Amino acid sequence: MTHSENQSFSIKVLSTGDVFEVPANRTMLHVLYENGYEVPLDCSNGRCGTCKTRYVSGEIDHRDTALTEAEKSEYLTVCVSRALSGQVVLDLATPKSAQPVARPVAIVEAPVCVACLNCVRFCTFGAARIDDSLIGVGGIKGAAHIDKDLCTGCGLCAAACPTGAIEMNINTHDQVIDTIHTLNINTLEQPGATATSTDPLAKVMLFACSQCRATAHQVSEQQNLSPERLANTQVVDVPCSGRIDTLQLMHAFESGADGVMVAGCQPGDCYFNTGNLHAAQRVNRIADWLSDCGLRRDQVKMVNLSPGDSQNLAHGLKELALKVSEIDPGPAQGQRTADQPGTAHA
Ligand code: SF4
Ligand code: SF4
């Protein structure tokens, strides 16, 4: 259904009595965020159910694929669902303030755009286009424009832009890099309780998308605490595996990781349609670069997970740890200090 086929309707918030109009070309999510109501969200396109909100009256046109039939009698997803009746009443808490809340969207710096169309090709939500009225790099006519109402904030375009013209307003490229270095994988406690006690523990950085995040933290915490562990693992949260660019992966090595893993959904299950496919391509590219600069291509690995598949992730991490524990640190990796067990790699 297109915007032109949508009907406008109103939402009323039970706790405050606030009433807002939802125009045909906008969603309840947009309107709520603009008025200070911060509903938890992840995919923004009806696949995850994170934004499910209780409603107390109204006839709902449920457009998500996340809620069960039983849930639909009580909840709706504010990101895609609409009201068939004139008004829907939502059971939401009073917001801290009426100030607009920022939700993740892509932003273009037109003067840096070369109109390469990468963002248009990567965006499966039709949010990116070239606008002829904008002036791009060197004064050329035409630069990318993002329709913020269609943008889900997945970050695929930002990872694909060759000039850095696209940036996310939340979880920016620099913030991801800062997170990688702030985790400071070199200072992890390594008591040396490994399977073979004289071996140092490998250091693994695990990037996890929103669907794999809970499993990633659970497995890494379990493994880090186990006396049988082979690696210490740190997790970097990203909205989608397709948000991870090659520079971010190289920064993981530069920060001292012996191995890097990207956890994404199974093919066909990505909340953002193709993010996991692009992530797999980047992992392969990094593997080629690693071998070009004297490291080993099997120091980087992609694992595709079904929700809650801790067994597959634990197995993948173990395999990676075993491989990287045989590897000498190369030029892209951070220096280890003499009193760290990992020095034995050198
Ligand atoms: S962040 Fe995702 S949805 Fe938004 S413009 Fe970029 S690719 Fe499209
Ligand atoms: S990917 Fe970057 S350079 Fe290419 S059109 Fe989009 S914003 Fe411009």
Side-chain angles (χ1 to χ4, degrees), residues 108 112-120 130 143-144 157 160-166:
V108 179
V112 189
C113 173
V114 293
C116 70
L117 291 172
N118 264 7
C119 53
V120 180
I130 300 297
C157 55
C161 177
T163 66
I166 296 199

Side-chain angles (χ1 to χ4, degrees), residues 114-130 144-146 154-162 166 242 272-275 277-278 281-282 285:
V114 293
C116 70
L117 291 172
N118 264 7
C119 53
V120 180
R121 289 190 295 110
F122 274 64
C123 181
T124 56
F125 299 96
R129 66 181 172 85
I130 300 297
H145 168 80
I146 306 297
C154 66
L156 266 62
C157 55
C161 177
I166 296 199
F272 303 104
N273 302 323
T274 55
L277 307 180
H278 296 305
Q281 286 171 350
R282 288 189 192 117
R285 200 173 309 143

